Amino acid sequence: MRWSDSFIPTLREPPADAEAASHRLLVRAGFIRQLHSGHYSLLPLGLRVHRRVADIVRAEMDAIGAQEFLLPAMHPAALWQRSGRWDVMGAEMFRLRDRNDVDIVLGMTHEEVFALLAAEMSSYRELPQTWYQIQTKFRDEPRPKSGLLRVREFAMKDSYSFDIDEAGLDASFEAHREAYVRIFGRLGLDAMAVEASSGAMGGSASVEFMVASPAGEDDVARCGACGYRANVERARAAVPPIDDPPSGSAPERFPTPGVRTIAQLSDFGGGAQAGRQIKTMVMVLDHEVTLVALRGDHQLNLQKLADHTGATDIRPASAAETVAELGANPGSLGAVGVDHLPVYADEALRGRRSMTTGANSDDWHYRGVDVERDLIDPRWADLRGVSAGEACIECGGTLEIVRCIEAGHIFKLGRRYAEAMGVSVLDADGIARTPIMGSYGIGIGRAMAAVAETHYDDRGLCWPVGVAPFDVVVTVLDPADPAQSSASEVLYSELQRRNIDCLYDDRVLRPGVKLADAELVGIPYRVTVGARSLAQGNLELTERSTGETRMIEVGEAPELVVAAVTAASL
């Protein structure tokens, strides 16, 4: 392709609202343009990268025997109501009505539709099956940002496995895990597999593939000693044992005028340090007022609470609701003796004695609380968020918290969707069985952005071979010079003949502008044709990622360029 015939609108300055490096550079280099919040147009260079990412994903899906479909993006609401997710998905799902007043949704994912199709299977002999598509998805993100990293409309590869039993699901899950490792390797992404929450998807197992980046929106706890890695929504840390003094025969109620916070109670005479306090939070879970008890220096992880309780609508109780249920305002609340509300207690409180907590009377607290004696039938769960520096649950090493981009996610779904859609096959004994499902996703545009986010320098993008819009750019410094023009045309034709994706910069511009554009766009290799080197029978071959330049003879240039591209592809 000739640059002079192409639409590559490079910019000198980044957009004012761009925070992430990938957002700044993809706009500046002419890959994307925003239409409105959360919706982006892929320009020719952007579409080439997007297709290359999709082709890598498609090749690895085909390699594990997956079959490609293309399903509608618009679904009848009845399908989502049938699976129980009509209410679970909440405000993130685009909902509309057609001219016949029928409820419609724009698909966020396609478990229901694939399961509906799977209902046409009738025998175990048809299993296992793995089906996938690369399709547009829609999510009404409340705060779209960071370019392609967080959008409302995007292409995603979603695949689904159907097996007769758990052993088959294990095999399908592992096949996808290995395929994802290969995909991210080919994309040039250092993606780590981490334990994750299944969230609204449900299921028994969930693994995310995370790429470390300050532009990410997820935090991962990882241990450098043993390799333990988990999303903070799932991560656990070891809690050092605490030798509590005896708590006495009953809690002691004492006045705490004006004390409303953990910190104030720590400083109050007769109070307690945060680690010896019980923090009681009043939450509303699916319209039911509920108490959540944690250690005073620990924070509630809302996703853990959702996962443990199955609640889909979680919010803090209002002041009025709190007073109505407990008779006191926040700052004086506790779960001691409460028997009319569900109480969830974090595991870090198990066995603790001589604790201090609110007495459900303004300006009063209890001390000498024995958690297992004084809380009535608490429901125990791991509810707290982990922090950097805590001890690894597996080996006792030190945990670090790393900000990451989620590049892929795989789930063991179980039989929820198959049962909802009436999927049933006869086994070898003629008994009806419900297949078990897995679900596996990769956002194509997000993966593209993740590559950009991790492959750039102060001059622009540095695409790896395999996902770059072109493998090579041939830059002629002076197209008006017959010698330079002729050498460039010959090389461009030879590279095309050898199936090298080549961009020929034949524009009549200053050499500095052309070289700056080549670096901004980030094509892996540049061959520069200039009068000085050409007079010596040479061309300049520059590797974008390292900046290394070497002279190559004109006659050997095609072979050497092909060799460089081939070696980088391995």
Side-chain angles (χ1 to χ4, degrees):
M1 180 178 290
R2 294 175 183 271
W3 202 314
S4 61
D5 296 333
S6 305
F7 183 63
I8 307 175
T10 59
L11 304 174
R12 296 303 96 182
E13 298 295 331
D17 62 339
E19 299 176 3
S22 59
H23 187 190
R24 294 194 303 270
L25 291 170
L26 289 173
V27 172
R28 278 194 60 208
F31 285 74
I32 63 173
R33 289 293 184 268
Q34 180 172 302
L35 178 62
H36 62 122
S37 179
H39 299 261
Y40 284 84
S41 300
L42 292 176
L43 308 188
L45 289 186
L47 185 57
R48 289 179 73 93
V49 174
H50 196 271
R51 283 175 175 166
R52 282 191 153 191
V53 172
D55 286 346
I56 288 172
V57 172
R58 184 175 281 113
E60 295 298 342
M61 287 296 98
D62 292 347
I64 62 172
Q67 303 162 74
E68 186 170 6
F69 288 58
L70 184 60
L71 308 185
M74 184 178 289
H75 309 161
L79 201 60
W80 288 70
Q81 292 164 347
R82 189 169 162 186
S83 72
R85 291 206 295 174
W86 172 255
D87 297 316
V88 172
M89 289 306 187
E92 286 192 355
M93 187 159 62
F94 282 100
R95 306 160 195 256
L96 58 151
R97 288 186 174 179
D98 66 13
R99 65 178 63 197
N100 296 312
D101 209 30
V102 174
D103 285 322
I104 301 291
V105 305
L106 297 180
M108 302 172 66
T109 181
H110 278 69
E111 281 78 7
E112 286 83 356
V113 184
F114 271 106
L116 186 67
L117 293 172
E120 297 192 32
M121 294 188 291
S122 59
S123 170
Y124 75 98
R125 292 186 178 89
E126 297 175 77
L127 300 176
Q129 292 282 337
T130 300
W131 300 343
Y132 80 98
Q133 64 171 343
I134 295 175
Q135 168 64 293
T136 303
K137 311 291 185 188
F138 300 88
R139 293 182 186 174
D140 193 2
E141 288 280 356
R143 293 175 300 278
K145 64 177 186 177
S146 301
L148 299 183
L149 287 174
R150 186 170 178 176
V151 292
R152 290 171 153 184
E153 177 182 353
F154 55 96
M156 186 171 81
K157 186 283 302 178
D158 51 326
S159 54
Y160 304 86
S161 60
F162 298 84
D163 289 277
I164 193 65
D165 55 24
E166 284 75 4
L169 174 58
D170 289 345
S172 295
F173 192 84
E174 180 62 17
H176 275 85
R177 189 194 66 79
E178 292 176 353
Y180 275 37
V181 169
R182 293 191 297 272
I183 287 168
F184 294 125
R186 292 179 63 180
L187 294 178
L189 290 174
D190 183 14
M192 54 182 170
V194 309
E195 294 180 23
S197 165
S198 295
M201 305 292 289
S204 61
S206 176
V207 172
E208 290 171 330
F209 289 81
M210 294 291 202
V211 177
S213 168
E217 293 189 315
D218 287 272
D219 288 323
V220 169
R222 68 180 180 187
C223 174
C226 71
Y228 172 76
R229 295 172 296 199
N231 191 305
V232 292
E233 296 177 344
R234 184 82 173 186
R236 297 175 298 147
V239 178
I242 297 177
D243 186 15
D244 291 327
S247 56
S249 59
E252 175 192 351
R253 190 169 180 265
F254 68 104
T256 52
V259 172
R260 293 291 181 269
T261 67
I262 297 293
Q264 289 173 341
L265 189 56
S266 296
D267 296 335
F268 184 79
Q273 294 302 306
R276 292 190 177 277
Q277 295 183 43
I278 301 173
K279 173 166 51 182
T280 305
M281 305 178 68
V282 185
M283 307 295 293
V284 180
L285 278 60
D286 291 339
H287 311 294
E288 181 180 29
V289 178
T290 302
L291 301 188
V292 180
L294 300 99
R295 214 168 79 178
D297 56 343
H298 290 167
Q299 301 300 316
L300 173 64
N301 184 301
L302 286 175
Q303 188 61 55
K304 287 185 176 182
L305 180 63
D307 290 345
H308 183 78
T309 63
T312 59
D313 183 14
I314 298 178
R315 63 173 177 85
S318 67
E321 289 169 323
T322 298
V323 172
E325 293 291 347
L326 296 177
N329 289 287
S332 299
L333 305 177
V336 171
V338 174
D339 60 2
H340 67 290
L341 297 175
V343 177
Y344 289 91
D346 182 64
E347 288 286 353
L349 291 176
R350 193 186 287 271
R352 295 298 305 278
R353 300 173 299 175
S354 294
M355 302 292 283
T356 299
T357 190
N360 289 331
S361 180
D362 289 342
D363 299 323
W364 289 86
H365 281 74
Y366 283 124
R367 56 187 167 212
V369 174
D370 184 320
V371 174
E372 295 189 53
R373 179 195 66 196
D374 298 325
L375 269 62
I376 299 173
D377 193 26
R379 306 173 190 183
W380 295 98
D382 171 34
L383 298 175
R384 76 182 187 93
V386 303
S387 300
E390 291 192 276
C392 173
I393 193 71
E394 298 290 343
C395 73
T398 302
L399 291 177
E400 63 172 332
I401 306 297
V402 183
R403 181 55 57 95
C404 293
I405 297 168
E406 179 192 329
H409 204 163
I410 61 178
F411 303 85
K412 290 183 178 179
L413 288 179
R415 294 181 169 85
R416 167 184 174 180
Y417 299 95
E419 289 174 347
M421 299 303 147
V423 184
S424 177
V425 298
L426 297 180
D427 66 13
D429 298 319
I431 298 172
R433 300 271 297 276
T434 301
I436 191 166
M437 289 178 63
S439 176
Y440 318 88
I442 290 179
I444 305 300
R446 176 179 282 245
M448 171 181 165
V451 176
E453 194 67 42
T454 53
H455 292 77
Y456 72 94
D457 59 22
D458 58 358
R459 297 184 302 277
L461 294 159
C462 303
W463 295 107
V465 172
V467 297
F470 296 93
D471 300 321
V472 180
V473 55
V474 174
T475 302
V476 54
L477 297 184
D478 183 5
D481 179 359
Q484 293 182 50
S485 179
S486 175
S488 300
E489 292 282 355
V490 170
L491 178 59
Y492 175 53
S493 297
E494 273 299 307
L495 292 176
Q496 286 187 307
R497 189 178 67 81
R498 296 167 190 246
N499 296 318
I500 296 294
D501 279 327
C502 185
L503 178 63
Y504 177 25
D505 190 353
D506 59 341
R507 296 174 298 168
V508 181
L509 292 173
R510 289 184 293 109
V513 173
K514 299 172 75 167
L515 295 176
D517 275 351
E519 291 187 320
L520 177 61
V521 168
I523 296 171
Y525 291 95
R526 184 183 76 237
V527 180
T528 306
V529 182
R532 184 178 302 175
S533 57
L534 191 59
Q536 299 175 0
N538 294 324
L539 308 176
E540 294 180 7
L541 176 60
T542 302
E543 184 176 358
R544 175 66 184 90
S545 61
T546 65
E548 294 180 359
T549 297
R550 60 190 174 106
M551 295 296 179
I552 57 176
E553 292 185 11
V554 173
E556 297 179 353
E559 289 78 8
L560 293 175
V561 172
V562 170
V565 170
T566 302
S569 302
L570 299 178

